[in-house]
Amino acid sequence: MAAVGRAERIGRVLFFAHAGHWLVQLIYLVPLMVLVGVILVGRHRDKREAAHEQVRAERDE
Amino acid sequence: MLVIAHGIVGRADLPIPSELFGAAAAVVLVLSFLALASGWTRPRLEHLRERALLRLPLAVEVLCGAIGVAVFAVVVYAGLAGTSSQQDNLAPTAVYVGFWVAVPFLSLLIGDWFRLFNPWRAIGRATGWVAGRLSRGEGTEAFPYPERLGHWPAAAGILAFVICELCWATGREPQPLAILMLIYAFLMLAGQGIYGVEPWSRRGDAFGVWFGLFALLSPVGRRADGTLVLRPPVAAATRLAPGAGSVALLVIGIGSTGFDGAGEGPLFNGVRPDLQDFFTSLGATLAVGLELAYVVGLLVAIGMVGLLWRLGTEGMPRAGAHGLDRRGLSLAFAHTLIPIAAAYVVAHYFSLLAYNGQDLWRLASDPLGDGSDLFGGAGGSIDYSILTATAIWYAQTLALVGGHVAALVLAHDRALVVYGSPQAATRSQIVMLVLMVCFTCLGLWLLSAALNG
């Protein structure tokens, strides 16, 4: 059992130690991540503007 | 150019099969489409937020124009008076790498800087200024630029250039290339003389228009009054004012870049001998037969891209809020082709610029190839170790996928304007999504075929 546990640990270490090799293969995900970021920022901005509008409307009333 | 461009890339040791990259790229596009459908519910790109940086003084414009004219004159002189060796004369590398490849890359980064250095525009403006002084404002008015001409002169100019680059061996030799440069300059000056410097530069000057399209994707812009502005990248593509020939120009650009890749792979090389035999059987020499085979391949590639675009626009519903017909839709969405063209150019010419761009310093030091060493770089050589083939492949993949995601964003945003509701906009873009997946997979396949061929 001890040997299996050690092998698992070594596997985990290798997984992260070789992150440079497999992370770069996910490079095509970068545009998608950027797009999701832009959408989230846009929605946050929309919400903030809507809240400002509401405050302004309430103040006018 | 074939020697210059394509004798440099080593075999890529791809970590996973290129087919898997194609599938992964398609998944990324579909996920991007779904993200847009669910999270991008109102047009965001039609009204740009710009931040003014500084205003360029007229003196800077004059200086840049003078530099542009000087560089043009040096390259023409090198072509005419220098060695006939393509590798040792400045002209071929300056035109096909420094001009045709580096200018679009820089335009993507810092905007329409070529407009400042454009030698034909600079000569035209200087001539106009002198003529205005001599005639004291009583000079003849230029003709109004005809709407039906649109971007057709630019499209024809780019087609002629890519034929010289990819099909016509003589077009890569220094002396004929210099003569072609002079002919082009003459045509530009004639166009400016008839229709005015600015109208012709914005619509008829093939290179000015082509590089200007790339500049629309840049985060740096320039207002008509000369003020430099910062803006979101890609968004300014919505400002394209499409007209006659605009789609043709972009289709020619994408098709020719795609053919440049296909010309190195098995697809074209499989049919090339048959095409060459066909033309030689009609009486052409072997060399001319080969050139004509390349022209046919180029035109077929352009035709295929045009057909894909036609299918994409045919697949969009006509009954939008604006009631656009197929041509109207094609024009309304023409700007979505700009990031695709940029993606193809970056992906295909990235390695050429990284490697052969280094050679510009050696050639600038010895422009005529006569053994001179003006800047101390004549003994330099290309360092091919700066990039591995695998790194090039990743950069190409990123460019292709990024460009097509950008195209999807532009198309979705415009669809929200044209069709009104997010649901209708999303439905209208399903065929466009298929089109983008086709373009991406085609691009990746061409690149991998060229890299492993």
Side-chain angles (χ1 to χ4, degrees), chain B residues 69-280:
Chain B
V69 173
V71 171
F72 179 78
V74 167
V75 174
V76 168
Y77 179 71
L80 291 174
T83 172
S84 58
S85 161
Q86 288 179 38
Q87 277 72 39
D88 295 323
N89 191 304
L90 172 67
T93 304
V95 170
Y96 291 120
V97 180
F99 180 66
W100 180 238
V101 176
V103 175
F105 273 75
L106 271 178
S107 301
L108 284 171
L109 294 174
I110 57 170
D112 200 3
W113 66 279
F114 177 73
R115 193 169 172 73
L116 293 174
F117 290 85
N118 185 333
W120 316 291
R121 179 170 171 263
I123 295 171
R125 290 179 79 186
T127 309
W129 183 79
V130 172
R133 282 285 173 124
L134 291 177
S135 64
R136 290 176 188 170
E138 292 171 6
T140 51
E141 284 284 311
F143 289 101
Y145 191 85
E147 279 303 308
R148 67 176 187 282
L149 212 53
H151 282 135
W152 280 115
I158 293 296
L159 180 62
F161 181 84
V162 293
I163 287 175
C164 289
E165 182 204 10
L166 303 174
C167 310
W168 188 41
T170 312
R172 301 187 288 271
E173 292 171 10
Q175 284 84 2
L177 186 59
I179 292 168
L180 288 173
M181 289 171 73
L182 288 174
I183 292 172
Y184 185 80
F186 172 77
L187 290 174
M188 291 306 100
L189 294 177
Q192 291 171 8
I194 297 168
Y195 298 116
V197 176
E198 292 306 326
W200 181 260
S201 297
R202 290 184 187 283
R203 313 287 277 183
D205 175 2
F207 300 109
V209 173
W210 181 241
F211 300 147
L213 292 175
F214 287 81
L216 288 174
L217 303 176
S218 166
V220 181
R222 189 163 161 265
R223 290 183 189 145
D225 65 357
T227 306
L228 292 180
V229 294
L230 268 183
R231 63 197 181 193
V234 178
T238 55
R239 287 187 176 166
L240 174 73
S246 305
V247 172
L249 171 66
L250 284 156
V251 164
I252 289 168
I254 296 170
S256 60
T257 315
F259 174 70
D260 203 1
E264 300 161 46
L267 182 69
F268 178 68
N269 284 317
V271 296
R272 195 189 62 193
D274 297 328
L275 282 170
Q276 190 178 8
D277 288 345
F278 170 73
F279 286 115
T280 49

Side-chain angles (χ1 to χ4, degrees), chain B residues 250-313:
Chain B
L250 284 156
V251 164
I252 289 168
I254 296 170
S256 60
T257 315
F259 174 70
D260 203 1
E264 300 161 46
L267 182 69
F268 178 68
N269 284 317
V271 296
R272 195 189 62 193
D274 297 328
L275 282 170
Q276 190 178 8
D277 288 345
F278 170 73
F279 286 115
T280 49
S281 71
L282 293 177
T285 62
L286 274 177
V288 173
L290 182 63
E291 289 174 341
L292 290 172
Y294 269 93
V295 172
V296 170
L298 173 67
L299 294 178
V300 168
I302 292 169
M304 280 173 61
V305 173
L307 185 66
L308 275 175
W309 179 248
R310 173 93 193 208
L311 291 174
T313 51

